[in-house]
Amino acid sequence: MINQLILTADRLSTKVDPRLSARILRKCPKISVPVELHGKKIYFFVTPSAMLLSDKSISPYASSQLMENLNTLSLPDIYPMHPTVNINPSNIYPTTPLSYAGELEAQRKSHIHFMLMSSDVDCFKQEENPEIIESALLANTFAAAVAQARYLYGDDVRELPEPVTMNVGMFHVTDWIFGSYQLNTIDLENSSSKNVFWLHRPKSLYKKADYVDGIPVLQEFSPDFLKYFVALYTSAC
């Protein structure tokens, strides 16, 4: 399904802007990123289904005026809960980060434009707790953005010279949820800067995707979904 969606979006978008054809599709990359938070080293390990990479970055979505307004806002206080609750200490992971960009350095395609991930659990049906899939999408996107920022600006970067901006989609069967992310800082404790995550409403590729008498059935393809997918696919131009 991923291949067909990318192929369709590519055919539609390159007619509008031929520059988009210069991007490359990386299948099943591995991204591992250690991040220190409240004295703990948290290790993110992300395995997207595919990533669309380019030699050009996506321009920041948030204007300087919007960022000034957002930076004055205070985040909710979740005390007595701790931000790293349920993340139990362990020492089984190496601390050397793996980056998607190392093997692609010669091709100079080091900017993530669109990251696509699959969800093993059908969180979309858990209407009473939609935060599960939203949180997973945010955490995975943050990890990928940090990996890209460190590749561009060095492992010690905290405040980014230029924001890292990307689009992301997570799916289970034919149900999708999309987001857009702008990373401005990796310092989540002391920085006055804010990172911005735009969460888009869930979309379905088909109205019905099920088995009927043992036969897979897909009904009522959604043109609205394809328009949305192509819009995110082409957002770099």
Side-chain angles (χ1 to χ4, degrees):
M1 180 177 64
I2 290 289
N3 291 341
Q4 291 300 319
L5 282 174
I6 291 292
L7 181 61
T8 301
D10 193 65
R11 288 174 175 173
L12 293 173
S13 60
T14 52
K15 293 180 180 179
V16 178
D17 192 331
R19 294 175 299 172
L20 296 175
S21 62
R23 300 185 296 184
I24 63 172
L25 185 67
R26 178 74 169 91
K27 294 290 190 67
C28 302
K30 295 180 180 179
I31 304 173
S32 59
V33 183
V35 177
E36 290 191 9
L37 183 63
H38 298 284
K40 294 183 178 181
K41 179 166 287 187
I42 302 173
Y43 209 82
F44 292 91
F45 188 71
V46 185
T47 55
S49 300
M51 289 197 310
L52 192 64
L53 302 170
S54 175
D55 57 351
K56 304 292 184 181
S57 63
I58 297 179
S59 299
Y61 289 145
S63 65
S64 56
Q65 182 60 55
L66 176 59
M67 288 309 310
E68 287 182 12
N69 295 336
L70 292 176
N71 290 337
T72 61
L73 301 178
S74 298
L75 295 176
D77 186 0
I78 62 172
Y79 181 85
M81 185 176 292
H82 197 272
T84 57
V85 64
N86 287 341
I87 300 179
N88 300 316
S90 63
N91 298 305
I92 63 174
Y93 298 110
T95 57
T96 302
L98 302 172
S99 173
Y100 69 91
E103 62 192 85
L104 298 172
E105 184 173 2
Q107 298 175 343
R108 305 298 181 188
K109 308 292 185 180
S110 58
H111 297 275
I112 304 174
H113 279 196
F114 204 179
M115 183 170 69
L116 305 174
M117 298 174 291
S118 64
S119 173
D120 295 331
V121 181
D122 190 1
C123 300
F124 294 91
K125 303 304 181 184
Q126 301 184 18
E127 297 180 358
E128 71 282 0
N129 194 13
E131 292 86 358
I132 294 176
I133 195 70
E134 296 168 1
S135 300
L137 187 68
L138 174 57
N140 281 276
T141 309
F142 169 76
V146 170
Q148 178 173 304
R150 288 179 176 168
Y151 173 74
L152 295 173
Y153 307 122
D155 291 338
D156 296 328
V157 67
R158 305 290 284 176
E159 300 294 328
L160 274 57
E162 294 292 336
V164 168
T165 307
M166 68 180 65
N167 298 315
V168 62
M170 181 176 283
F171 66 94
H172 178 83
V173 190
T174 63
D175 294 322
W176 287 72
I177 187 169
F178 294 101
S180 298
Y181 192 76
Q182 181 174 316
L183 181 75
N184 299 300
T185 180
I186 301 177
D187 187 354
L188 301 183
E189 297 181 66
N190 303 309
S191 176
S192 60
S193 298
K194 299 288 193 304
N195 299 321
V196 189
F197 182 57
W198 293 268
L199 184 66
H200 310 299
R201 296 179 62 183
K203 302 283 184 181
S204 292
L205 182 57
Y206 293 93
K207 186 174 182 179
K208 181 177 182 179
D210 208 344
Y211 284 88
V212 178
D213 297 329
I215 301 174
V217 174
L218 299 174
Q219 293 181 347
E220 296 188 45
F221 170 78
S222 172
D224 181 61
F225 170 89
L226 185 58
K227 291 179 182 178
Y228 204 89
F229 188 92
V230 172
L232 291 175
Y233 186 88
T234 59
S235 63
C237 63

